[in-house]
Structure formats: C-alpha cells, structure tokens
Amino acid sequence: MPFPFRILAGLLLSSTAIAAPKNTSHDWWSLKPLTRPAVPVVAGARTPVDAFVIVKLAEKNLTLAPEADRRTLIRRVTFDLTGLPPSPEEVDAFVADNDPQAYGKLVDRLLDSPRYGERWARHWLDVVRYGETHGYDKDQPRPNAWPYRDYVIRAFNEDKPYGQFVQEQVAGDVMFPGTADGIEALGFIAAGPWDFIGHVEVPETKTDGRIARNLDRDDMVSNTMNSFCSITVQCARCHDHKFDPVWQKDYYRLQAVFAALDRTDRPVDLDPALAKRRSELNATVQTLQKKTGKVRPEYGYHSAIEAKQDVVKWVQLDLGREFPISSITYTGCWDDFNAIGAGFGFPRRFRLEVSNDPDFAKGVTLIEDRTKEDVANPGVVPRQVDAKGIGARYVRMTATKLAPRQGDFNFALAEMAVMTANGNNVAASATVTSLDSIEAPVRWARKNLVDGYSYPSPPPELAAAQAELAKLPAPRMVYAGGIHTGGGSFRGTGPDGGKPRKIWVLSRGDVNKHEEEVGAGTVPMLPGETGTFNIPADAPEGARRAALAKWITDPQHPLTWRSIVNRVWHYHFGRGLSDTPNDFGRMGGLPSHPELLDWLAVEFRDGGQSFKTLHRLIVTSAVYRQASIASSPAAHAVDADNRLLWHMNRRKLEAEAVRDSILSVSGKLNLKMGGPSFKDFVVERPEHSPHYEYHLANPEDASTHRRSVYRFLVRSQPQPFMAVLDCADPSMSVDKRNETLNPLQALALMNNKLAVAMSKHFAERVEKAATDAPGRVRTAFRLAIQRDPTADESAALTAHMQKYGTAAACRVILNLNEFVFAD
C-alpha cells in the first residue's frame, strides 16, 4: 500500500476504534485474580520454569535445544546480569571447572557484584522515563536528578523487596519517614519531561498554564500506572477507555492523588540521625514561631536569580563622604519562601570591603574574608565586624557563592549599618547600588538595606534552635515530586500550604470544561472497591500517595505482580511472556505461557519479592541455558519467531553494554559508582535554550570513561553514537528497546571518536601483552570476545595489523558481530 494511503487507512482504523463501545468486563487474563498454578511434572526440568515451557513445547511436538557451551553461557549470563564482558581469565576458569555447582556459583557471584545494580537500574530507568534535562523547548538541565538514579542502583544491589521499592517511589516520604531512600526515591514522580515554559513563564491562572499542569499530572499518573501496573489509564483522559474497564472518572481520581505536587528540588539527609535532628529542630522552630505570633518579615536587598551558585554578586553603600568606620553590622533576611525562613539568601561565601574608589579598583581594604569555605547561615541575628577606624566612603559586600533558593541561587541581605566611633550609623542615609537587583517594593528594594528595619530578635529558645539548624551540614538536594513554593508564575501549591489543587473530570480533556469534581482514588480492581480512597479532607497530601502505594502493592492486585515478573523475563529473553510490557489490556499482547507467568508472579510475591531470587530461578533454568543456534526446520515451521522458547534468543547488546565493553577492553573503564553524571558534551547558550554539542567533547577526557548508566541524559539532543545503537529515548517510557541492524552502526563503531580513541588504548594494551602480530591478534580476540581466533581469522587480522597497525586491527575486532551480540 503506498505510504499516504497507509496513513489514511490508519486514521480510519483509529476512528473506528475510538467509536467502539467501552468494555467494562474484568474477564481478561491480566485482570483475573492471581492463583498459583500447579507445576507440571515432566522429565528434563531443572526448575519449575522448565516444566511449564516443556509442557507448552510438547503441545506442538517440540523440545528444548541442547545446552549452550560454557564459553557462551558465561558470556550470556555475565552480560545479562552485569552488562559487561567477562575477562578471558574468568572464561578460562569457568570452562575448566568440573564442579557441578560451577554455574550456580557463577550466577551468585554476578548477582553479588555492584555491577549488577548498575545493569538492572538502567532497565528500570528506561521504563520510568528518567532524564536529566526537562525536554520541550527550553531543555534546561536538572543538576539534582542523579540521586534518584543512584537510589535505583542501590535498591537493586541491596535486593530491596519489590513492594517497598514501589512504595518508596510513590510515597517514601510518608511511608518511610526519616530515611534518605524515602526522599530520593520520589525522583520517580519527577523522572519524566517537564514543560519549563508552561510552568515558569505562564501562570497557572492562564489556560496554557492550566494545560501544562494538567499534562504534568498526566505524566505522573501514566508513569505510575504504566510502570507498576502495565495499564494504559492515560487513554481515559478525554473519554472513557475504549477497550479496558477504566472510566474517565477513574483517571481524574488518579490525577487528584498528585494534585498538590510539582517537580522540585527536595532536601535529603543521608544520615538518619542527622535527618531526625533536623526534623526535630524544624518542628521546634515552627512551634515557637507560632507562639511568638506573626511578625512582619524583613525583606531587603535581593539580587537577580541565577542558575549557578558560583556567580559573583555585590551590593554597595555610598556614605556620601569618607568616614572613620568603627564597625560594620549586617543582618540576614527572613522570608518564608521554600520554608527557608531566617537567613534567606545569605551567601555561602563572601567578602566585606571598604574603599574610596566607587569601582573598588584601587585602595581597597578587606574587612572580612569568608571566601575560603562555606559559612553557617546566621539567620536574622546581626553580625558585627570590627573595621578598626579605617576611613572610607564606600562599603561593599561581594557574594562569591550564592545561597540556594529552590533549584536556583540568589544573594539577599536585610540590613547594613556602618558605625563611627561616636555611635552614629552613617549608613542611614547612604545610597545603595548593586550589580543587579530585584526591585519589588515594599518587599524587595535596594533602599530597604539601610531603612533601619530588621526582623525582631527571636526568643532565646527560637534563636538557639535556629542557630543549631544553621550549623547542620547542608542537605543533599534531589529533583523529585514535592510541594513547590517558588515565586513568579511557577508558585506551585506551597504558598497555599501544599493544599491540593481541585480536580474535575474534564469534558473531552478540555481544561476549561469542568464536569464533576473528584477526590483521590484509583481504578477499581480489587473485590468491593469503589475507586475512592477514604482519606479525610484535611489530611496531608502525602496520605493520597500512601493510599495509592498501598493499593498498588496489595497482594491481591491482579496487575502489579504479573507486570514486574514479565519485565524481568523480557530482559532475560529479549521478549516478555506478554510482548507488551506496558500494556496488559485488550490492545496488548496475550501471554505465550499464561500459567508460567502467574506461577512466577505468585512465587515472586509470596517468596520475599527478591529480584535476585527471581533472576537466579530464571538464569539457572534449562530454558535459559539452551543454545541460541538451533537448526530444526520442523520447529521453524511451527514457531518461527520462537515464542514457545524451543531455543535461546540471540541477543544484540544494548548501546550502554556496547559502549561499556569498548571502554572495558581498552582498559579505560572507570568503575567509580554514584554521584553527579558525567557529561560527554559541551553546552552552548546555557542561559536560554542550551545546545548540547557532543562533537565538541573530548573522548580522552577520563571523567567520561565511567559506565554509561552514569551518563548525563539529554532529552532534546540524543548522543549520536548511543542513538545509532538504539539507546532509549528518555522522553518516553521505553518498555522494550528497538533492535535494528543498519550500516550506520558499523560506521559508528569504526569511525566514532570514542571508538577511534579507545582502539588506540586497546592496541596499547595488546602490544604490552604480546610482541608479535599473531600474538597480538590472539590477545585482542581473547579480550574482546573471550576466545582464540581461528586460523583464517588470525591470518587475515595479522596481515591487516602488519599493513595498517595494531589500532586499525583492533577497530576491526570491535566491529565483529560477536562483539555486539551475546549468543
């Protein structure tokens, strides 16, 4: 069919589908209650997994393929569980090991490796749309997104029970208070793309602002329900779901769960004791502030807001003429923005200087230097500095490290006083100038800096609590779902005390067409459910998320446990038992082995919810250990795409595994774990719409030689080398990656700057290990694909090496199919 007509036919089919009646029945395989099927008793089964598969094969007169050879097995399972190639020594040892338990011990060693968490976290991050820029028009970076990625890696390595893993990501701050994981896991809620313009530049009162926030909640709802339940509730945003039992009202109840949330930077203390003490002090401060009554907060000078903390700002007093200065006193601001309170905007590092030169280019005397290390926030307690009678007309405070605000930084100061020996404040009538300023009287203005008004001295107990708070180490920040209290159009619900927005069913999804107002709830799935959460109207917003998290992890939930074991199976075999991991509805795929899927789901749910136990069960099965190369015309005729698993699927390595393998064989892979992501690009025009220029990056930069899971993920401009190797798009939920074979991949592996640079290091490594060309070819083969070359391969590569050099031969080896596939 010609291309335009294919489009037309698709539109007609879509129109027909949308007009179809809604199916309200729960009589569908994925929605039926979970029960444990009996394990068939069959010969040749190593595990219950094998029993179910062998029975299904027997229905078509098929049998399992023979077991793969040991070299193939160790390569397969090592890539599968760690995403890295085994070393030649590891392969040799395993091949020579006659211990019947050798394979099981190998599996245990790989599951215990910290590389396991890095490998399997990448799979989960694909599903939840994790990225480190916002996407959309102004694709601004998210410098604090990475703690969520580290949380996922840590959760897999610690083998965290799946129910807890789910609950932490939806409502960790409520269900696991006082824990770092309980906050960092909430990066899940904020993992997807976010419309910077629609939130920051357009107020919520305008239609475009309401649309942006509606779409933001839609992303939170769909991410939660697709990831954990494999149900496409987002199809009910404009009308009842046309295929599955999801009403439009159900969808908006789920929106109400997230109605108070925005994406924001949240503080987190890694030390539980520190978190407990900070919480106690904050509670004390709030209680004492209520007792003292509401006092007009002091505002003052406020600089322009910056995206980076190391931008220099200054504010300056012109005393009118030179005075002998005895002392200088400065006082921090108080503002309830982001619950900062006392010391709002006080710089982390600064210096205080005087001069008779308004430009401070000459004759400058340093009064106080606090630029070497971070200073504790003084709150609103005035600080006096001795000036020793120095004569000067101008007084300047320069901030060299700004104060964190909320995802950005600023410099604010409430009051400055300049005292002479006779006790006069000669700053009372001073002219205030600055590098820049936010002029928003009566709140913020330069002149406020010398108006003689500062926040009243707090009671001693309040001052003590605030002082102790100021001395605590600064918490880590994580970009996560939370109450945003920012100013401007992106004010969030913070100024309203975190009160959730009202949510209505929207006629045809139109934000201006309100129908019924709804409360927090979900899609009725369990017996006796109404879809509404029984939560008091005045309950904190977290109660809504906690209710949803408990609903998702209910042992009787028909979708949660089927969904996760199907995902794990997919990553081991290249295809799920249901081939649509994000959609278990009527438009999704039927499971090839429904009894096996249900048995795995119940076994996982009731057996401790351990990923490592599930992996061990699968990879030790005879089904997993089959050879991938199987010649059986009869089997091909019956099951050409191997849905029944009569042989193992040959697997093309993901982009990350290919890149990491290149670094590994070159000897340059840096196994440092955690922390901020490395950037394999140079940013141009960062102040507006950043351009992420990958071609300007240096492939020899050692900071970029870490595992690919630690790569800074940009939404608007994919990394070309990774994209051509079918890397996941972080702007969407990728439940299964594309697997393509095309000439661009060969060209990238041959000519990309990283491949060229690492081939040189690969060559240096083999040249140190062997002195002659045949020996170097053998060494390179063993490092790259863990076997010796055949006689023909050795002859061809030796001739190539002698003619073009070792590095050129190494580039050829990196282009072998065997390097980018695991049989």
Side-chain angles (χ1 to χ4, degrees), residues 418-435:
V418 180
M419 309 303 293
T420 60
N422 59 9
N424 290 332
N425 177 16
V426 293
S429 58
T431 300
V432 184
T433 57
S434 60
L435 177 68

Side-chain angles (χ1 to χ4, degrees), residues 608-619:
Q609 301 170 22
S610 162
F611 279 112
K612 290 188 178 183
T613 299
L614 180 60
H615 292 308
R616 191 177 291 107
L617 174 66
I618 292 173
V619 302

